[in-house]
Amino acid sequence: MAPFRSHPFDDDKLKEECGIFGVVGVADASNFVALGLHALQHRGQEAGGIVSYHPDHGFNSARRFGYVRDNFTKADVMDTLPGQLAIGHVRYSTAGSKGATAIRDVQPFFGEFSMGGCAIAHNGNLTNASALRRELIERGSIFQSSSDSECIIHLMARSIQKSLAERIKDALRRVEGAFSVVAMTRTKLIGVRDPLGVRPLVLGRIGDHGWALSSETCALDIIGADFVREIEPGEMVVIEGNKVESTRPFTPAKSRFCIFENVYFSRPDSIIGGRSVYETRRQIGVELAIEAPVDADLVCPVPDSGTPAAIGYSQQSGIPYAMGIIRNQYMGRTFIEPTDSIRNMGVRLKLNVNRALIKGKRVILVDDSVVRGTTSRKIKDMILEAGAAEVHFRIASPPTAWPCFYGVDTPERSKLLAATMSEDEMRDWIGVDSLKFISLDGLYRAAGEAEGRNAAAPQYCDACFSGDYPVAPSDKIEEGFEMKAAE
């Protein structure tokens, strides 16, 4: 078997999707959006953009590569974004030119229509974007970006509806896949979730007159907004002045929220479905300790995403929790371009073993997932080099065996370790004393489903684990992707 290869600075995680945020009814709305995007930075570090509207200055936008803190904290940028209405987006490229993003790919996207301008920010992935794009180009549309999200603007342009809100409905009825959308006109802030509710979107209140829409509740906290409720699957809200109007523009469907939001994507201080993400992750550790116990001296998280599950595992098992691996908090996504002599030091730039603690110990390492497995091997080597007597991996998600097509940048299936190996084969390939993943039922129990997964009608989207895709990825099937055979 050919070795699994990844860039030495690749932390071997599924890449975050995107984050969206919008505000209406407050002075300097773009500053609130910048703060919200900063709180959502974990959902996309590649680039960010903000669009605002002011009656005297019209629509204005700024798009930048890199972190929010490096771009949208400067007065000379924020002064160009006046008004009481603004939306923003942080990006990790899940569709379009991955790894070679052009500034024109950075959202929000803007369109000028006969009834005025409209800007749109989209989190998720449209699974029929290629077919839509071909159709639109044949009918004369001229695309400016490689992003699937731009299809929404072109579909709006072709709608015969008389209002922008109705045109958004028209456009979103044509698309398939996952979408949470925040949009704005000259007077309205609009939020929409797809009928399955795959990606998150929440509503917040700012003081007496302001409103906010956000991918996660943690971004409401940073601006001092009160969480009101989640936008429901298949719901569209239109906010104008102090009025929030709700409609249901799509055919009703059973909710299939992305369960990996609970495992990894969302911040642990966010609330999903009325439940703390931190508590769900801690409970995953409890379930793991019940399902896969092992005699050991220490339970250590792989920072930072494995921490809550490691705490839960320790509490349930009675094995002491310890910081056996220390993360360098100042390691960014990029550092020096590695030469051959330091090519294998990538993980060490981010993580270092607490040698005095680890030496001679039987160590349980708790991580959130195994994708390619490359980083797991490197961490195992570091732990053994530090003198550990045994290394046991416990993984806070089931084996990732299928790619996601709903807004997560996943390697092709052949590059996913669990797609080509059994659990025992993965254990031997990584080179650890034991390797155990939480079961799918265990994950569901940790997420609050006491009876586990309903196989006939799953409560979440878990396609990355089960191969059960709630929406057929038509573009990928056209390219040759083979769906899981019916059982």
Side-chain angles (χ1 to χ4, degrees):
M1 178 181 291
F4 287 76
R5 299 186 185 280
S6 68
H7 192 281
F9 294 95
D10 179 7
D11 57 4
D12 201 25
K13 300 295 182 188
L14 298 181
K15 296 301 186 293
E16 300 87 339
E17 312 132 15
C18 294
I20 53 178
F21 197 82
V23 165
V24 65
V26 295
D28 300 318
S30 59
N31 287 322
F32 283 78
V33 170
L35 287 167
L37 293 180
H38 178 72
L40 297 174
Q41 188 77 83
H42 59 287
R43 300 184 73 88
Q45 294 88 38
E46 192 173 74
I50 297 176
V51 173
S52 72
Y53 178 79
H54 187 284
D56 297 332
H57 303 283
F59 287 92
N60 289 279
S61 69
R63 305 180 195 181
R64 299 288 190 274
F65 291 120
Y67 292 132
V68 174
R69 69 174 185 232
D70 296 331
N71 293 305
F72 296 103
T73 54
K74 301 171 183 174
D76 61 339
V77 174
M78 302 312 294
D79 288 347
T80 68
L81 299 167
Q84 295 190 11
L85 177 55
I87 66 171
H89 185 274
V90 285
R91 166 191 173 89
Y92 183 85
S93 55
T94 55
S97 50
K98 291 187 183 74
T101 302
I103 199 70
R104 63 179 179 271
D105 294 324
V106 180
Q107 298 186 44
F109 291 131
F110 177 79
E112 192 72 59
F113 303 92
S114 58
M115 65 287 291
C118 181
I120 284 185
H122 166 217
N123 170 213
N125 228 45
L126 308 182
T127 56
N128 65 335
S130 296
L132 285 174
R133 193 181 184 98
R134 285 196 304 270
E135 174 193 323
L136 288 162
I137 289 172
E138 286 169 4
R139 294 185 177 185
S141 293
I142 299 171
F143 279 75
Q144 300 296 314
S145 78
S146 67
S147 172
D148 63 331
S149 309
E150 192 183 349
C151 289
I152 299 169
I153 290 285
H154 290 286
L155 289 168
M156 288 177 62
R158 295 198 166 273
S159 171
I160 60 172
Q161 297 296 325
K162 301 301 183 186
S163 76
L164 287 170
E166 290 301 317
R167 287 192 176 205
I168 291 174
K169 288 182 186 178
D170 249 10
L172 294 178
R173 287 189 186 111
R174 288 287 319 277
V175 305
E176 298 170 3
F179 54 85
S180 283
V181 167
V182 169
M184 60 179 279
T185 68
R186 288 172 294 188
T187 59
K188 299 179 176 71
L189 178 65
I190 299 169
V192 195
R193 280 182 81 189
D194 70 71
L196 298 176
V198 177
R199 304 263 72 90
L201 190 65
V202 299
L203 175 68
R205 190 73 198 259
I206 311 169
D208 295 329
H209 305 291
W211 296 90
L213 290 167
S214 173
S215 289
E216 293 183 42
T217 61
C218 64
L220 300 178
D221 297 337
I222 199 174
I223 63 168
D226 294 322
F227 170 65
V228 176
R229 65 179 179 87
E230 295 183 0
I231 305 303
E232 295 181 9
E235 183 184 14
M236 176 175 181
V237 293
V238 179
I239 306 168
E240 185 171 18
N242 224 19
K243 182 181 177 185
V244 180
E245 178 185 302
S246 171
T247 58
R248 304 282 180 155
F250 312 108
T251 303
K254 188 177 183 300
S255 172
R256 294 289 296 274
F257 183 67
C258 170
I259 200 164
F260 213 80
E261 291 277 356
N262 283 302
V263 175
Y264 177 63
F265 290 127
S266 293
R267 262 179 41 172
D269 51 335
S270 284
I271 306 293
I272 293 176
R275 184 182 175 91
S276 157
V277 174
Y278 172 87
E279 178 54 28
T280 295
R281 291 179 187 167
R282 190 195 69 81
Q283 194 62 36
I284 288 173
V286 170
E287 290 285 342
L288 255 177
I290 295 169
E291 291 185 353
V294 62
D295 288 333
D297 303 306
L298 298 174
V299 177
C300 301
V302 176
D304 290 314
S305 51
T307 300
I311 290 170
Y313 195 105
S314 171
Q315 290 171 339
Q316 177 64 30
S317 67
I319 300 170
Y321 170 89
M323 296 296 291
I325 301 173
I326 307 300
R327 180 174 176 265
N328 178 2
Q329 301 293 335
Y330 301 96
M331 173 62 194
R333 287 252 160 182
T334 58
F335 191 62
I336 52 175
E337 183 64 27
T339 61
D340 288 341
S341 62
I342 64 164
R343 189 159 295 277
N344 292 318
M345 296 183 187
V347 171
R348 295 174 191 273
L349 286 167
K350 294 183 177 182
L351 305 172
N352 193 39
V353 176
N354 189 347
R355 289 174 174 267
L357 183 73
I358 291 296
K359 188 173 181 180
K361 299 293 196 304
R362 298 168 299 169
V363 179
I364 300 170
L365 293 178
V366 181
D367 204 355
D368 62 88
S369 61
V370 172
V371 182
R372 295 180 181 90
T374 47
T375 297
S376 300
R377 287 179 74 163
K378 292 172 185 174
I379 291 171
K380 174 267 301 183
D381 288 342
M382 290 165 58
I383 293 287
L384 288 177
E385 287 169 12
E390 295 176 9
V391 180
H392 304 271
F393 262 108
R394 293 295 178 268
I395 309 301
S397 62
T400 304
W402 295 86
C404 174
F405 301 121
Y406 306 128
V408 182
D409 184 35
T410 318
E412 61 188 65
R413 187 155 193 257
S414 63
K415 301 289 175 56
L416 296 170
L417 205 64
T420 59
M421 295 184 188
S422 68
E423 191 173 279
D424 287 346
E425 288 171 333
M426 285 189 276
R427 176 201 64 208
D428 294 343
W429 188 82
I430 294 171
V432 288
D433 292 282
S434 71
L435 170 68
K436 296 292 181 182
F437 296 80
I438 192 170
S439 67
L440 203 46
D441 278 332
L443 176 58
Y444 271 73
R445 287 193 295 270
E449 299 290 343
E451 302 302 315
R453 183 180 191 261
N454 181 347
Q459 304 93 314
Y460 289 91
C461 177
D462 55 26
C464 54
F465 308 131
S466 67
D468 181 356
Y469 291 93
V471 178
S474 53
D475 285 347
K476 296 298 180 181
I477 291 171
E478 185 179 303
E479 294 172 10
F481 175 75
E482 295 183 10
M483 296 274 284
K484 182 179 180 180
E487 295 179 350

